[in-house]
Amino acid sequence: MQYFPVLVLTGPRQSGKTTLCREMLQGYSYFNLEDLLVFRQIAEAPRQFLEQYAPNDIILDEAQRYPDIFSFVQVVADAHPDYRFVLTGSNNFSLMHGITQSLAGRAALLTLLPLSFAELNQFADNKTDTLLFNGGFPAVWGQNIPARDVCRNYYNTYIERDVRQALNIKNISAFQKFIRICAGRIGNEFNASAVSGEIGVSSHTVQEWLGTLEASYATFRLQPWFRNIGKRLVKTPKIYFYDTALVCFLLGIENEQHLAAHPLRGAIFENYVALEFLKKRLNAGNEPNLYFYRDQSQREIDVVQEFGEKIRAYEIKSAQSFHSEFLNNLKYLKSLLGDTITRTQVIYDGDLDTGSAENGVMNFRRFLYD
């Protein structure tokens, strides 16, 4: 905000965007465009509205509800360089369209995901299954609302509003099956053709639906990491969700005991760790730098972080006992890339920890605190 007249804060619904803005920017005038009265007031005379309130600086919540507002914010911001505007929204596609059309070069873009482990330090002693089952939605931890209730409301609202508005879906049952199939494929490569065959729609429709899930911050894709190292790697991305509580809800997991015995518990653990990597980048104001590695021999490494010409590689294991073969794929990649890799570590749910060693084993809790 020191450098740009417009700050755009985007992220999943209920991740805390409104609370964060209103707590940190208490002198700003706040308007929620989901309020019909506010919406109509702005739509009738947008420039006059902005110029009336902008001297006190403005927060426009769910700004994508009125796409024309971006052009008027541009005009007023150019005319008054000392004014500050904060735009928030939970539909990244609409927000980004408005930014690229009207606010390019004028706006800083930040993303707020549900709470990271670092923000839950008062609950740090919770069991791993509790962390996975409860996810990161603030209402679960701050208001003690059961995670399944939060996710049920989140899911029903999302289906009823965002999807129908964005895609005009008539066959809601097919989409409901699709999103549950996505939850069952976390940590795996996403094959649109295979999914389309399961639910009876075209692969183009599957790709369109997945794009809408991503734009609405339900899912994200981890792209494969490429480097010219001889053998060609796979090109299909892996799919994850922005919150593991939502994954548990979609899979019908009703409690922590059910989760502990669930066949996808390892995939949910992997999703949680990959998400923590992502949150650490975004919460620091950095762009994501996360990939995965898999070659044609099916050697896979769960997370590859790229720092210029250097990379760090991590294997994620939900096991509570360490086995030396956990290191095999990391050693293989190290043999291929040599000094290009500056860190190789296994992150697992047991007690063994080699501390700050660049090559070795990291306990899940140490990773969360690191």
Side-chain angles (χ1 to χ4, degrees):
M1 296 177 68
Q2 180 180 351
Y3 304 108
F4 295 92
V6 182
L7 173 66
V8 179
L9 182 63
T10 185
R13 192 180 298 133
Q14 300 181 26
S15 63
K17 299 183 296 299
T18 300
T19 300
L20 180 64
C21 289
R22 300 198 73 172
E23 287 292 321
M24 295 190 67
L25 305 171
Q26 295 187 14
Y28 280 51
S29 299
Y30 172 82
F31 302 96
N32 189 335
L33 274 72
E34 291 190 326
D35 184 324
L36 286 178
L37 292 178
V38 171
F39 182 92
R40 289 169 183 163
Q41 186 181 1
I42 293 176
E44 287 176 2
R47 179 167 182 175
Q48 290 88 329
F49 179 92
L50 294 176
E51 289 182 331
Q52 176 183 353
Y53 292 101
N56 296 324
D57 302 321
I58 292 180
I59 301 168
L60 296 174
D61 210 350
E62 297 296 342
Q64 79 280 353
R65 296 292 176 190
Y66 183 61
D68 289 345
I69 197 66
F70 297 99
S71 297
F72 290 102
V73 168
Q74 173 203 334
V75 171
V76 176
D78 288 348
H80 304 278
D82 55 324
Y83 291 179
R84 289 293 178 267
F85 300 87
V86 177
L87 312 180
T88 80
S90 54
N91 188 316
N92 194 37
F93 178 81
S94 299
L95 278 175
M96 291 305 298
H97 180 74
I99 293 167
T100 55
Q101 290 291 104
S102 304
L103 296 175
R106 300 173 179 84
L109 180 65
L110 296 174
T111 302
L112 182 69
L113 298 184
L115 296 169
S116 67
F117 181 83
E119 297 169 299
L120 294 172
N121 51 16
Q122 70 187 95
F123 305 99
D125 292 334
N126 277 276
K127 297 184 300 180
T128 298
D129 287 331
T130 302
L131 296 174
L132 304 184
F133 184 76
N134 283 345
F137 283 119
V140 175
W141 299 98
Q143 300 175 41
N144 295 316
I145 302 175
R148 282 186 61 79
D149 291 341
V150 170
C151 291
R152 182 182 296 108
N153 293 335
Y154 180 94
Y155 175 74
N156 289 340
T157 301
Y158 169 71
I159 290 294
E160 187 64 29
R161 282 198 335 193
D162 289 2
V163 173
R164 285 189 177 178
Q165 289 180 8
L167 296 175
N168 192 27
I169 293 177
K170 296 181 176 62
N171 189 352
I172 290 296
S173 62
F175 185 85
Q176 291 172 334
K177 184 176 181 181
F178 164 74
I179 193 171
R180 285 177 166 82
I181 286 174
C182 288
R185 280 170 164 71
I186 56 170
N188 289 301
E189 294 174 46
F190 187 83
N191 187 317
S193 297
V195 173
S196 69
E198 288 190 49
I199 58 179
V201 299
S202 69
S203 59
H204 173 77
T205 297
V206 166
Q207 292 285 11
E208 187 179 21
W209 287 356
L210 182 61
T212 302
L213 288 180
E214 291 178 310
S216 298
Y217 288 102
T219 65
F220 66 97
R221 280 180 269 194
L222 207 60
Q223 298 295 333
W225 180 81
F226 290 98
R227 186 68 64 86
N228 185 17
I229 56 173
K231 288 186 178 180
R232 284 298 79 203
L233 312 180
V234 297
K235 299 181 180 180
T236 308
K238 296 204 298 187
I239 186 173
Y240 294 100
F241 275 69
Y242 278 110
D243 197 82
T244 54
L246 183 58
V247 174
C248 291
F249 171 77
L250 292 170
L251 293 176
I253 298 173
E254 297 185 352
N255 52 56
E256 296 166 34
Q257 293 72 32
H258 189 187
L259 171 61
H262 198 277
L264 289 180
R265 196 262 186 187
I268 296 170
F269 180 86
E270 180 182 326
N271 194 144
Y272 191 96
V273 173
L275 192 56
E276 282 294 310
F277 272 110
L278 182 60
K279 289 176 181 177
K280 288 178 181 181
R281 292 290 297 180
L282 295 177
N283 289 350
N286 296 319
E287 291 297 311
N289 64 346
L290 306 178
Y291 306 87
F292 76 97
Y293 172 92
R294 182 181 291 156
D295 62 25
Q296 294 176 348
S297 299
Q298 297 304 304
R299 291 187 180 90
E300 179 179 340
I301 294 171
D302 297 311
V303 171
V304 172
Q305 271 191 303
E306 195 168 51
F307 299 89
E309 293 298 314
K310 302 296 184 179
I311 69 168
R312 299 175 184 175
Y314 301 88
E315 277 279 70
I316 303 169
K317 302 292 183 182
S318 65
Q320 294 184 333
S321 299
F322 176 75
H323 301 281
S324 58
E325 58 264 28
F326 290 172
L327 294 164
N328 289 348
N329 288 341
L330 294 171
K331 291 178 179 177
Y332 170 77
L333 190 61
K334 182 77 171 177
S335 70
L336 289 180
L337 299 179
D339 293 339
T340 299
I341 296 186
T342 60
R343 175 180 291 184
T344 59
Q345 286 186 318
V346 172
I347 300 168
Y348 87 119
D349 198 23
D351 297 326
L352 180 64
D353 193 312
T354 56
S356 59
E358 298 302 322
N359 301 288
V361 183
M362 181 181 287
N363 171 267
F364 174 55
R365 301 292 171 145
R366 183 183 179 89
F367 160 73
L368 294 174
Y369 281 115
D370 191 9

